Amino acid sequence: MAARPGVKRRLLGVAVALAAVACGLAVHLGAADTAASDIAGDAFYVVAVWGGLVALFPRLSSWLTGAIVVAWSAGVELFQLTGLPVAWAGEWPPIVLVFGTVFDARDLLVYAVTGAVLATTDAAVRRALGRRAVSAAA
């Protein structure tokens, strides 16, 4: 019996999200607090959100997925301007992993670049797999 369409992609999304969360936690907990570790953490955040979105909606186009991920990440960054995430972090520190604490404009650039790389890579892989499937069927 063949797997339902989207199952493999959904599993890929889950695996990517879990790997990104693990890597992000390793950076957050184990790396010195530097610009490089901040950028890496931001990139892993975007990858984790991408994986989660792919797991939930495996049939979305690569470009729409990338756009949603960048919009979500930027929205979370802009939400930090309200001061709520830093206040919440005082009450429950793990919330920092989802909402961060203070706004940093550089993070918006990291989100955009990471989202563009993810969307481009995803589109190229999907296109290549589609060509391979057509060749195998012929």
Side-chain angles (χ1 to χ4, degrees), residues 93-114:
I95 201 81
V96 167
L97 300 172
V98 176
F99 292 112
T101 53
V102 295
F103 177 80
D104 184 349
R106 177 188 61 204
D107 294 351
L108 297 173
L109 178 61
V110 174
Y111 300 149
V113 169
T114 306

mmCIF file of all heavy atoms in Angstrom, residues 93-114:
data_model
loop_
_atom_site.group_PDB
_atom_site.id
_atom_site.type_symbol
_atom_site.label_atom_id
_atom_site.label_comp_id
_atom_site.label_asym_id
_atom_site.label_seq_id
_atom_site.Cartn_x
_atom_site.Cartn_y
_atom_site.Cartn_z
ATOM 1 N N PRO A 93 11.134 31.583 32.758
ATOM 2 C CA PRO A 93 12.279 31.760 31.850
ATOM 3 C C PRO A 93 12.238 30.966 30.540
ATOM 4 O O PRO A 93 12.703 31.488 29.515
ATOM 5 C CB PRO A 93 13.478 31.353 32.710
ATOM 6 C CG PRO A 93 13.043 31.679 34.106
ATOM 7 C CD PRO A 93 11.573 31.348 34.137
ATOM 8 N N PRO A 94 11.695 29.756 30.466
ATOM 9 C CA PRO A 94 11.697 29.052 29.172
ATOM 10 C C PRO A 94 10.910 29.761 28.059
ATOM 11 O O PRO A 94 11.113 29.453 26.885
ATOM 12 C CB PRO A 94 11.059 27.696 29.506
ATOM 13 C CG PRO A 94 11.356 27.490 30.955
ATOM 14 C CD PRO A 94 11.273 28.866 31.552
ATOM 15 N N ILE A 95 10.059 30.708 28.410
ATOM 16 C CA ILE A 95 9.289 31.437 27.387
ATOM 17 C C ILE A 95 10.219 32.190 26.438
ATOM 18 O O ILE A 95 9.870 32.474 25.297
ATOM 19 C CB ILE A 95 8.250 32.384 28.036
ATOM 20 C CG1 ILE A 95 7.134 32.732 27.049
ATOM 21 C CG2 ILE A 95 8.884 33.656 28.541
ATOM 22 C CD1 ILE A 95 6.089 31.692 26.921
ATOM 23 N N VAL A 96 11.444 32.466 26.912
ATOM 24 C CA VAL A 96 12.454 33.137 26.092
ATOM 25 C C VAL A 96 12.722 32.353 24.812
ATOM 26 O O VAL A 96 12.989 32.937 23.757
ATOM 27 C CB VAL A 96 13.768 33.294 26.905
ATOM 28 C CG1 VAL A 96 14.939 33.678 26.028
ATOM 29 C CG2 VAL A 96 13.568 34.303 28.003
ATOM 30 N N LEU A 97 12.630 31.032 24.872
ATOM 31 C CA LEU A 97 12.924 30.197 23.718
ATOM 32 C C LEU A 97 11.909 30.379 22.595
ATOM 33 O O LEU A 97 12.216 30.108 21.434
ATOM 34 C CB LEU A 97 13.000 28.730 24.133
ATOM 35 C CG LEU A 97 14.066 28.412 25.180
ATOM 36 C CD1 LEU A 97 13.923 26.978 25.658
ATOM 37 C CD2 LEU A 97 15.454 28.693 24.645
ATOM 38 N N VAL A 98 10.725 30.824 22.923
ATOM 39 C CA VAL A 98 9.688 31.029 21.909
ATOM 40 C C VAL A 98 9.576 32.502 21.512
ATOM 41 O O VAL A 98 9.512 32.825 20.340
ATOM 42 C CB VAL A 98 8.317 30.523 22.415
ATOM 43 C CG1 VAL A 98 7.219 30.812 21.411
ATOM 44 C CG2 VAL A 98 8.384 29.048 22.739
ATOM 45 N N PHE A 99 9.586 33.404 22.495
ATOM 46 C CA PHE A 99 9.329 34.817 22.227
ATOM 47 C C PHE A 99 10.541 35.730 22.341
ATOM 48 O O PHE A 99 10.434 36.916 22.061
ATOM 49 C CB PHE A 99 8.229 35.343 23.157
ATOM 50 C CG PHE A 99 6.881 34.758 22.866
ATOM 51 C CD1 PHE A 99 6.273 33.908 23.766
ATOM 52 C CD2 PHE A 99 6.223 35.052 21.684
ATOM 53 C CE1 PHE A 99 5.029 33.360 23.497
ATOM 54 C CE2 PHE A 99 4.981 34.506 21.412
ATOM 55 C CZ PHE A 99 4.379 33.665 22.321
ATOM 56 N N GLY A 100 11.689 35.197 22.781
ATOM 57 C CA GLY A 100 12.853 36.051 22.952
ATOM 58 C C GLY A 100 12.620 37.032 24.087
ATOM 59 O O GLY A 100 11.760 36.819 24.942
ATOM 60 N N THR A 101 13.380 38.114 24.086
ATOM 61 C CA THR A 101 13.202 39.112 25.137
ATOM 62 C C THR A 101 13.136 40.523 24.577
ATOM 63 O O THR A 101 12.122 41.184 24.703
ATOM 64 C CB THR A 101 14.343 39.037 26.181
ATOM 65 O OG1 THR A 101 15.592 39.101 25.502
ATOM 66 C CG2 THR A 101 14.247 37.773 27.018
ATOM 67 N N VAL A 102 14.215 40.976 23.943
ATOM 68 C CA VAL A 102 14.252 42.362 23.477
ATOM 69 C C VAL A 102 14.469 42.414 21.974
ATOM 70 O O VAL A 102 15.135 41.572 21.388
ATOM 71 C CB VAL A 102 15.356 43.176 24.201
ATOM 72 C CG1 VAL A 102 15.035 43.301 25.675
ATOM 73 C CG2 VAL A 102 16.724 42.564 24.006
ATOM 74 N N PHE A 103 13.907 43.433 21.362
ATOM 75 C CA PHE A 103 13.980 43.630 19.924
ATOM 76 C C PHE A 103 15.421 43.861 19.477
ATOM 77 O O PHE A 103 16.175 44.595 20.102
ATOM 78 C CB PHE A 103 13.121 44.830 19.524
ATOM 79 C CG PHE A 103 13.187 45.162 18.066
ATOM 80 C CD1 PHE A 103 12.444 44.444 17.148
ATOM 81 C CD2 PHE A 103 14.007 46.185 17.605
ATOM 82 C CE1 PHE A 103 12.504 44.740 15.794
ATOM 83 C CE2 PHE A 103 14.064 46.485 16.258
ATOM 84 C CZ PHE A 103 13.315 45.764 15.351
ATOM 85 N N ASP A 104 15.792 43.230 18.358
ATOM 86 C CA ASP A 104 17.086 43.441 17.729
ATOM 87 C C ASP A 104 16.845 43.443 16.218
ATOM 88 O O ASP A 104 16.457 42.417 15.649
ATOM 89 C CB ASP A 104 18.055 42.324 18.122
ATOM 90 C CG ASP A 104 19.458 42.525 17.570
ATOM 91 O OD1 ASP A 104 19.652 43.405 16.713
ATOM 92 O OD2 ASP A 104 20.367 41.783 17.996
ATOM 93 N N ALA A 105 17.060 44.578 15.581
ATOM 94 C CA ALA A 105 16.775 44.711 14.146
ATOM 95 C C ALA A 105 17.573 43.715 13.312
ATOM 96 O O ALA A 105 17.092 43.249 12.274
ATOM 97 C CB ALA A 105 17.066 46.138 13.686
ATOM 98 N N ARG A 106 18.776 43.345 13.770
ATOM 99 C CA ARG A 106 19.585 42.371 13.026
ATOM 100 C C ARG A 106 18.846 41.048 12.885
ATOM 101 O O ARG A 106 18.965 40.361 11.869
ATOM 102 C CB ARG A 106 20.922 42.149 13.740
ATOM 103 C CG ARG A 106 21.783 41.088 13.061
ATOM 104 C CD ARG A 106 23.003 40.735 13.859
ATOM 105 N NE ARG A 106 22.604 40.201 15.145
ATOM 106 C CZ ARG A 106 23.370 40.222 16.226
ATOM 107 N NH1 ARG A 106 24.558 40.767 16.196
ATOM 108 N NH2 ARG A 106 22.940 39.703 17.364
ATOM 109 N N ASP A 107 18.055 40.695 13.886
ATOM 110 C CA ASP A 107 17.314 39.433 13.834
ATOM 111 C C ASP A 107 16.373 39.391 12.629
ATOM 112 O O ASP A 107 16.177 38.331 12.027
ATOM 113 C CB ASP A 107 16.516 39.216 15.119
ATOM 114 C CG ASP A 107 17.403 39.013 16.336
ATOM 115 O OD1 ASP A 107 18.640 38.877 16.168
ATOM 116 O OD2 ASP A 107 16.871 39.000 17.456
ATOM 117 N N LEU A 108 15.796 40.528 12.262
ATOM 118 C CA LEU A 108 14.899 40.572 11.103
ATOM 119 C C LEU A 108 15.640 40.178 9.831
ATOM 120 O O LEU A 108 15.092 39.457 8.989
ATOM 121 C CB LEU A 108 14.280 41.964 10.959
ATOM 122 C CG LEU A 108 13.387 42.419 12.108
ATOM 123 C CD1 LEU A 108 12.981 43.881 11.920
ATOM 124 C CD2 LEU A 108 12.163 41.526 12.238
ATOM 125 N N LEU A 109 16.884 40.625 9.706
ATOM 126 C CA LEU A 109 17.697 40.251 8.546
ATOM 127 C C LEU A 109 18.008 38.755 8.562
ATOM 128 O O LEU A 109 17.903 38.084 7.535
ATOM 129 C CB LEU A 109 18.994 41.061 8.526
ATOM 130 C CG LEU A 109 19.969 40.732 7.400
ATOM 131 C CD1 LEU A 109 19.341 41.000 6.036
ATOM 132 C CD2 LEU A 109 21.256 41.518 7.567
ATOM 133 N N VAL A 110 18.350 38.221 9.739
ATOM 134 C CA VAL A 110 18.640 36.790 9.857
ATOM 135 C C VAL A 110 17.411 35.978 9.476
ATOM 136 O O VAL A 110 17.510 34.984 8.751
ATOM 137 C CB VAL A 110 19.119 36.430 11.280
ATOM 138 C CG1 VAL A 110 19.289 34.920 11.438
ATOM 139 C CG2 VAL A 110 20.422 37.146 11.605
ATOM 140 N N TYR A 111 16.240 36.399 9.929
ATOM 141 C CA TYR A 111 15.007 35.674 9.597
ATOM 142 C C TYR A 111 14.768 35.690 8.091
ATOM 143 O O TYR A 111 14.421 34.664 7.500
ATOM 144 C CB TYR A 111 13.798 36.301 10.298
ATOM 145 C CG TYR A 111 13.867 36.315 11.800
ATOM 146 C CD1 TYR A 111 13.268 37.331 12.522
ATOM 147 C CD2 TYR A 111 14.526 35.321 12.517
ATOM 148 C CE1 TYR A 111 13.312 37.363 13.901
ATOM 149 C CE2 TYR A 111 14.581 35.348 13.905
ATOM 150 C CZ TYR A 111 13.967 36.373 14.588
ATOM 151 O OH TYR A 111 14.017 36.395 15.954
ATOM 152 N N ALA A 112 14.943 36.838 7.464
ATOM 153 C CA ALA A 112 14.689 36.955 6.027
ATOM 154 C C ALA A 112 15.671 36.102 5.221
ATOM 155 O O ALA A 112 15.260 35.387 4.299
ATOM 156 C CB ALA A 112 14.775 38.417 5.597
ATOM 157 N N VAL A 113 16.942 36.158 5.574
ATOM 158 C CA VAL A 113 17.944 35.388 4.840
ATOM 159 C C VAL A 113 17.716 33.892 5.038
ATOM 160 O O VAL A 113 17.733 33.113 4.072
ATOM 161 C CB VAL A 113 19.372 35.799 5.261
ATOM 162 C CG1 VAL A 113 20.409 34.837 4.714
ATOM 163 C CG2 VAL A 113 19.665 37.228 4.810
ATOM 164 N N THR A 114 17.489 33.480 6.267
ATOM 165 C CA THR A 114 17.269 32.058 6.544
ATOM 166 C C THR A 114 16.009 31.568 5.839
ATOM 167 O O THR A 114 16.004 30.487 5.240
ATOM 168 C CB THR A 114 17.180 31.792 8.054
ATOM 169 O OG1 THR A 114 18.348 32.318 8.690
ATOM 170 C CG2 THR A 114 17.065 30.303 8.344
#
